[in-house]
Structure formats: structure tokens, C-alpha cells
């Protein structure tokens, strides 16, 4: 809702810029979509690497807590 109100204010103050923003927003979103997907993949890979690195410490902690 806030974005819409800001867009309305921009439309009142400078309507050509507001219309340009309205047209370019979906195009920019589509251009940035692959970067978001790469970010999700890299984040998942780093989480997996962190889990593998900390696995021995986790196993030792679980075994020592059981005694």
C-alpha cells in the first residue's frame, strides 16, 4: 500500500517519470531474476558446506551429552 501511495505522489509531481517507472519495473524485475536465483543457489551451497564442516563437532557434542 505504501508503494502505491508513493507512486501516486510521484504521479502527481512528475507524471512522465511515474509512467516510466511503471513500465520499467517489470523489465527490471525480469532482468534481476537470474541474480536472485543464483543467490538462492549459492546460499544453499554455503549452508551445505557449513553443515559438513561442523558435522564432526555436532556428532561429538551429541555423543558426549548422551553419557
Amino acid at each position: 500500500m505504501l508503494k502505491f501511495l508513493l507512486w501516486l505522489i510521484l504521479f502527481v509531481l512528475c507524471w512522465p517519470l511515474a509512467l516510466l517507472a511503471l513500465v520499467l519495473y517489470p523489465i527490471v524485475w525480469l532482468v534481476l531474476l537470474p541474480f536472485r536465483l543464483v543467490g538462492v543457489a549459492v546460499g544453499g551451497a554455503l549452508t551445505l558446506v557449513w553443515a559438513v564442516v561442523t558435522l564432526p563437532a555436532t556428532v561429538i557434542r551429541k555423543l558426549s551429552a548422551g553419557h
Side-chain angles (χ1 to χ4, degrees):
M1 186 66 180
L2 180 64
K3 288 181 183 181
F4 180 67
L5 291 175
L6 289 174
W7 185 82
L8 284 177
I9 292 170
L10 180 64
F11 186 75
V12 169
L13 296 176
C14 182
W15 65 267
L17 186 61
L19 292 179
L20 183 66
L22 190 65
V23 169
L24 289 181
Y25 182 77
I27 295 169
V28 170
W29 187 86
L30 283 174
V31 168
L32 294 179
L33 187 61
F35 296 106
R36 292 182 190 186
L37 294 175
V38 168
V40 168
V42 169
L46 290 175
T47 302
L48 177 65
V49 168
W50 181 253
V52 169
V53 167
T54 59
L55 181 63
T58 305
V59 170
I60 292 171
R61 193 176 311 125
K62 295 280 185 183
L63 288 176
S64 66
H67 290 129

